[in-house]
């Protein structure tokens, strides 16, 4: 362990793969062939996080290839056997699935290949879906697309909670800097319209952070129980291996309650990670996708020093794994409210490509991966 021991074709390049036998087992478990990345185009962009690492998506948006920092690379090397055993032994996972850990010789950089936990809306006016003879044409799809709302949250249960996308619009991060007094003034006056004239980007970002802190999410009682059970199990795994600073990535779409199930199926045809929760709340169809991401950070000496430097910061993310895990679970036990109604109604059956519409991760993944091989 520590040196590449096999090769895998990624975008026409022979990349070196770490712990190839472990990831081959994961790919087989998820019914992926070893050449699933042959068509990747290697168009990478900055991910927007604090680390500035580059990432890219496959054309079908099912998979993400993310550059690893040295620390995350070493952490993954140490974690791989236990991570693979955890994934293979459990279902309804929230942990983002990893499918390869590679080194690209031409760039001299390390990457992880994972399922895409945040699928952007892909319901467009060109959609033309059929459901056992019932057509949902392009005009109807366009009408539904115009009515949908789409919001994405990055949540830790700390002061770092934020909104990434609201009403379909991305919210760029604008961090405070000690030398920039304008940003601090704008934040203090965020409820005043004039604050947007001082630092519009920071005000919008800060308002998003306040919204992320205050918002709650409705789900059914069954979803609430299942979600917290899976979260407790996966967070216990992260705590056991000394990991912290992970996030729950959560996207919400709200659609008209009469949206045909086939349209929902189309919207999530590229989903390969996390859990899908569908419910009826407030006269709307609510579709949530949730998954745990960025879970390779260990409680290093650097993190311990950073915690001491931030001793005046309230509810900081830089906390040791036991405390971080306990706060994380307590926070989301309150954040999710078991008050929504099931959707579709239990008596409603829908079949798409001879597969019953389902909200469980396994059934969706089974359909998506099998269709990718046809």
């Amino acid at each position: 362990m520590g040196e590449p021991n096999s090769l895998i074709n990624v975008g026409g390049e022979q990349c070196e793969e770490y712990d190839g036998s472990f990831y081959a087992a994961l790919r087989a478990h998820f019914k992926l062939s070893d050449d699933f990345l042959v068509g990747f185009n290697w168009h990478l962009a900055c991910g927007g996080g604090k680390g500035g690492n580059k990432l890219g998506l496959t054309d079908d948006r099912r998979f993400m290839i993310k550059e690893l920092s040295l620390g995350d690379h070493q952490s993954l090397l140490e974690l791989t056997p236990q991570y693979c055993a955890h994934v293979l032994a459990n279902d309804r996972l929230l942990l983002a699935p990893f499918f390869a850990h590679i080194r690209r010789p031409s760039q001299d950089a390390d990457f992880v290949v994972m399922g895409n936990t945040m699928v952007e809306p892909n319901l467009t006016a060109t959609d033309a879906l059929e459901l056992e003879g019932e057509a949902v044409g392009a005009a109807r799809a366009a009408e539904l697309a115009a009515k949908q709302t789409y919001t994405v949250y990055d949540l830790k249960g700390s002061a770092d909670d934020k909104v990434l996308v609201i009403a379909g619009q991305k919210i760029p991060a604008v961090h405070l800097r000690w030398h920039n007094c304008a940003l601090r003034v704008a934040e203090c006056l965020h409820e005043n319209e004039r604050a947007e004239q001082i630092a519009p980007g920071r005000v919008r970002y800060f308002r998003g952070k306040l919204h992320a802190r205050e918002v709650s999410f409705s789900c059914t009682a069954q979803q609430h129980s299942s979600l917290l059970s899976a979260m407790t199990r996966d967070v216990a795994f992260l705590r056991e291996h000394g990991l912290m600073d992970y996030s729950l990535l959560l996207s919400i779409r709200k659609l008209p309650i009469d949206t045909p199930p086939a349209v929902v199926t189309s919207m999530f045809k590229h989903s390969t990670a996390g859990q899908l929760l569908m419910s009826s709340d407030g006269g709307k169809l609510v579709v949530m996708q949730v998954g745990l991401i960025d879970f390779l950070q260990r409680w290093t000496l650097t993190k311990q020093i950073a915690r001491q430097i931030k001793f005046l910061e309230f509810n900081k993310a830089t906390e040791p794994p036991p405390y971080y895990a306990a706060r994380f679970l307590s926070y989301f036990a309150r954040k999710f409210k078991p008050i929504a109604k099931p959707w579709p109604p239990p008596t409603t059956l829908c079949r798409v490509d001879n597969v019953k519409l389902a909200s469980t991760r396994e059934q969706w993944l089974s359909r998506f991966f099998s269709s990718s091989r046809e």
Side-chain angles (χ1 to χ4, degrees), residues 19-39:
D19 299 310
S21 60
F22 286 106
Y23 290 104
L26 285 182
R27 292 193 292 271
H29 178 70
F30 285 96
K31 298 180 175 61
L32 278 176
S33 65
D34 288 340
D35 62 355
F36 75 113
L37 291 173
V38 170

Side-chain angles (χ1 to χ4, degrees), residues 191-205:
E191 295 182 352
N192 191 308
E193 293 182 0
R194 294 185 178 180
E196 295 190 18
Q197 300 176 8
I198 302 174
R202 176 60 191 179
V203 169
R204 193 177 185 205
Y205 179 64

Side-chain angles (χ1 to χ4, degrees), residues 167-315:
Q169 299 295 316
K170 292 185 179 180
I171 309 296
V174 180
H175 300 290
L176 284 177
R177 296 291 182 262
W178 65 269
H179 55 81
N180 195 324
C181 296
L183 295 183
R184 297 187 179 276
V185 170
E187 182 176 302
C188 293
L189 300 175
H190 70 274
E191 295 182 352
N192 191 308
E193 293 182 0
R194 294 185 178 180
E196 295 190 18
Q197 300 176 8
I198 302 174
R202 176 60 191 179
V203 169
R204 193 177 185 205
Y205 179 64
F206 183 69
R207 287 174 179 171
K209 289 176 67 67
L210 293 179
H211 171 65
R213 186 184 309 167
E214 297 166 359
V215 69
S216 61
F217 308 107
S218 300
C219 58
T220 68
Q222 181 179 4
Q223 290 169 349
H224 186 267
S225 175
S226 176
L227 177 64
L228 292 184
S229 175
M231 187 181 298
T232 299
R233 179 201 60 212
D234 288 350
V235 167
F237 170 81
L238 299 178
R239 171 181 172 172
E240 176 185 352
H241 293 284
L243 300 167
M244 43 77 68
D245 208 19
Y246 39 87
S247 299
L248 188 77
L249 190 65
L250 185 151
S251 68
I252 297 181
R253 285 185 186 82
K254 292 186 178 182
L255 289 154
I257 195 65
D258 61 345
T259 300
V263 174
V264 181
T265 302
S266 176
M267 293 174 68
F268 287 95
K269 62 188 176 184
H270 299 316
S271 177
T272 55
Q275 290 190 19
L276 295 173
L277 310 177
M278 292 178 283
S279 62
S280 171
D281 187 49
K284 294 283 188 179
L285 162 59
V286 180
V287 185
M288 288 194 294
Q289 185 176 19
V290 294
L292 283 167
I293 63 168
D294 296 340
F295 49 80
L296 294 175
Q297 179 61 60
R298 293 193 179 275
W299 184 238
T300 61
L301 178 61
T302 301
K303 285 291 184 181
Q304 295 174 42
I305 293 173
R307 182 174 183 265
Q308 299 304 318
I309 294 174
K310 299 177 182 179
F311 71 97
L312 291 178
E313 183 178 321
F314 175 73
N315 202 26

Side-chain angles (χ1 to χ4, degrees), residues 150-171:
Y150 175 60
T151 306
V152 181
Y153 301 87
D154 184 329
L155 305 171
K156 300 182 178 184
S158 73
D160 282 2
D161 286 3
K162 58 193 173 190
V163 176
L164 300 179
V165 178
I166 191 165
Q169 299 295 316
K170 292 185 179 180
I171 309 296

Side-chain angles (χ1 to χ4, degrees), residues 95-111:
L95 294 178
F98 295 158
F99 300 122
H101 181 192
I102 63 175
R103 182 166 192 80
R104 187 187 188 192
S106 63
Q107 196 175 338
D108 193 27
D110 298 307
F111 296 84

Side-chain angles (χ1 to χ4, degrees), residues 301-341:
L301 178 61
T302 301
K303 285 291 184 181
Q304 295 174 42
I305 293 173
R307 182 174 183 265
Q308 299 304 318
I309 294 174
K310 299 177 182 179
F311 71 97
L312 291 178
E313 183 178 321
F314 175 73
N315 202 26
K316 52 184 170 287
T318 313
E319 296 285 4
Y323 180 89
Y324 192 96
R327 180 181 63 183
F328 193 89
L329 293 173
S330 174
Y331 179 73
F332 287 108
R334 302 189 306 270
K335 202 77 164 169
F336 288 96
K337 309 291 186 183
I339 58 176
K341 297 179 180 179

